[in-house]
Amino acid sequence: QVQLVESGGGLVQAGGSLRLSCTASGRTFSNYAMGWFRQVPGKEREFVAAISWSGIRWSDNTYYADSVKGRFTISRDNAKNTVYLQMNSLKPEDTAVYYCAADTRREVITTTPNTWGQGTQVTVTS
């Protein structure tokens, strides 16, 4: 099982951008589907974006919550054991703790992945 460490959170004004990074330990990173979730106090954790191998060489599938489509982009660099979340056109409602997630089962990466990072705070001011 991998261990995940997020970085890149912070404070940004509405309309700005941030890039989150999640680095995984271990040597089998490419076997994992990866995802990002977020949570605000008093609410359940919600899916943001995910990326998994499509089964076609050099090709990944990506998935996004409707609320972030067109603004956020998920990508991965298997050589660096890292997944990224590029967040553009940020809104105050994007404020949350963002969690990186991993699972070898692609079918659960958008719902119930079994491995989580510790989270990184993103705050968007109006």
Side-chain angles (χ1 to χ4, degrees):
Q1 195 167 4
V2 295
Q3 292 185 325
L4 306 173
V5 178
E6 302 100 331
S7 62
L11 182 68
V12 64
Q13 288 189 331
S17 298
L18 280 176
R19 188 177 79 158
L20 304 182
S21 300
C22 172
T23 300
S25 63
R27 293 176 287 182
T28 59
F29 178 74
S30 60
N31 292 344
Y32 284 81
M34 302 297 296
W36 289 95
F37 289 70
R38 65 188 181 186
Q39 188 171 25
V40 298
K43 292 190 176 181
E44 291 189 357
R45 193 171 298 186
E46 67 171 4
F47 168 72
V48 175
I51 186 167
S52 63
W53 182 51
S54 69
I56 299 173
R57 190 178 182 184
W58 311 125
S59 176
D60 289 315
N61 289 329
T62 56
Y63 310 89
Y64 297 95
D66 288 343
S67 59
V68 306
K69 278 181 182 176
R71 300 188 299 122
F72 290 11
T73 302
I74 189 170
S75 62
R76 67 191 298 162
D77 185 337
N78 289 338
K80 295 182 178 180
N81 280 15
T82 300
V83 63
Y84 304 99
L85 185 67
Q86 178 66 43
M87 305 185 293
N88 298 329
S89 302
L90 282 161
K91 305 175 182 180
E93 51 264 44
D94 294 318
T95 295
V97 177
Y98 283 71
Y99 295 90
C100 179
D103 204 302
T104 55
R105 302 167 295 167
R106 288 180 283 173
E107 64 272 20
V108 304
I109 193 60
T110 63
T111 54
T112 55
N114 61 12
T115 303
W116 296 89
Q118 82 288 352
T120 185
Q121 176 70 45
V122 172
T123 302
V124 184
T125 60
S126 58

